Amino acid sequence: MSFHLGLTGSIGMGKSTTAQMFADRGCAIWNADAAVHRLYGKDGAAVASITALFPEAVQDGTVDRAALREMIAKDPTALPRIEAIVHPLVQQDRAVFKATENADVLVFDIPLLFETGAEDEMDAVACVFVNAAEQRRRVLERGTMTPLQFEQILAKQMPIAEKLARAEYHIETDTLDHAAAQVDQILEEIQKRMRDA
Ligand SMILES: CC(C)(COP(=O)(O)OP(=O)(O)OC[C@H]1O[C@@H](n2cnc3c(N)ncnc32)[C@H](O)[C@@H]1O)[C@@H](O)C(=O)NCCC(=O)NCCS
Ligand SMILES: Nc1ncnc2c1ncn2[C@@H]1O[C@H](COP(=O)(O)OP(=O)(O)OP(=O)(O)O)[C@@H](O)[C@H]1O
């Protein structure tokens, strides 16, 4: 049996970078954002249902994320309806990964881990964090969103303090070396838990 470790955190706090550290140490990684990209892509499992809901958001058999963002901005009921389609499909994608991967430790990189109930599928959860000023600096440095868009996304997500309170392991992503040392320590503890189980 594999150990299932959830990995979460607030936007830009270092989930992907930390997931790569787990991958470098032999863990298999599943990524929720990548799953959504597969579902929205050519022949993706969400395309038919999104077409039925918002035909104008589908072009050439793929879901246009910019069009979806516009729908969500215009209509407050849009996001919950999209989520009702997407979340069960994301869960199915994860089930296929679990059934086919046989690494000792499977890491699930899920921004909305607590919000979507994926927590229930995990043996433990690790939450990455960095101070708010550094988070903001890193996100805006990417140049992919305005300060207002950043604030809006932040306001929609569960506060980081609440995520940390619900997570068993905390990983501070202030430097790469510090994060790597915490990843090593968590994997040691997980190996011990697996030996003792
Ligand atoms: C709204 C959409 C079209 C925006 O796509 P886009 O490529 O512009 O952005 P991206 O997906 O990278 O998200 C940007 C940021 O918003 C956050 N975010 C995305 N969906 C949500 C949500 N439902 N609630 C809160 N934050 C969210 C992400 O964690 C990320 O930090 C897309 O995120 C979407 O279809 N979301 C609904 C499906 C969903 O819940 N996905 C989350 C994974 S289960
Ligand atoms: N431990 C660390 N030390 C220094 N910088 C880091 C560390 N972890 C991540 N970063 C930097 O922070 C930024 C965000 O990291 P990353 O893309 O991993 O975050 P994320 O949580 O996956 O983001 P998103 O929520 O947008 O998907 C990147 O510029 C990355 O290089």
Side-chain angles (χ1 to χ4, degrees):
M1 266 300 271
S2 304
F3 190 94
H4 295 169
L5 178 68
L7 180 65
T8 194
S10 180
I11 176 172
M13 285 203 175
K15 287 176 300 295
S16 309
T17 306
T18 309
Q20 187 56 48
M21 293 177 182
F22 281 103
D24 293 342
R25 288 156 178 77
C27 305
I29 315 295
W30 180 87
N31 179 297
D33 287 337
V36 175
H37 277 272
R38 281 195 291 280
L39 294 171
Y40 286 174
K42 198 108 196 131
D43 301 321
V47 174
S49 311
I50 298 282
T51 307
L53 197 60
F54 298 119
E56 56 279 48
V58 178
Q59 304 283 337
D60 301 325
T62 70
V63 176
D64 176 351
R65 300 168 83 96
L68 269 197
R69 276 200 306 268
E70 258 178 54
M71 309 279 167
I72 292 168
K74 276 198 303 229
D75 173 2
T77 71
L79 182 59
R81 285 188 285 153
I82 295 165
E83 287 177 331
I85 293 169
V86 173
H87 290 174
L89 294 172
V90 168
Q91 190 175 16
Q92 270 175 35
D93 188 281
R94 190 160 62 235
V96 170
F97 173 83
K98 284 191 209 165
T100 49
E101 273 298 335
N102 53 18
D104 283 348
V105 181
L106 308 187
V107 175
F108 298 87
D109 175 349
I110 312 183
L112 303 178
L113 184 129
F114 294 116
E115 294 90 332
T116 60
E119 176 186 15
D120 296 343
E121 295 177 31
M122 304 300 153
D123 295 309
V125 173
C127 183
V128 298
F129 72 101
V130 73
N131 70 68
E134 178 63 8
Q135 173 192 27
R136 185 186 170 83
R137 195 192 66 73
R138 288 180 185 176
V139 170
L140 295 181
E141 188 185 62
R142 294 199 288 225
T144 54
M145 61 181 78
T146 65
L148 180 65
Q149 283 168 328
F150 168 65
E151 302 298 341
Q152 284 170 343
I153 289 171
L154 209 54
K156 271 197 279 175
Q157 295 191 341
M158 185 185 286
I160 187 66
E162 198 177 334
K163 292 191 182 194
L164 286 166
R166 289 172 67 164
E168 186 172 346
Y169 298 115
H170 296 174
I171 303 175
E172 186 171 15
T173 61
D174 49 351
T175 68
L176 293 172
D177 284 348
H178 187 207
Q182 295 163 89
V183 166
D184 285 333
Q185 196 182 346
I186 290 168
L187 284 174
E188 259 179 48
E189 283 182 40
I190 289 175
Q191 271 144 18
K192 182 173 181 321
R193 281 166 75 155
M194 291 177 81
R195 277 197 304 273
D196 295 347

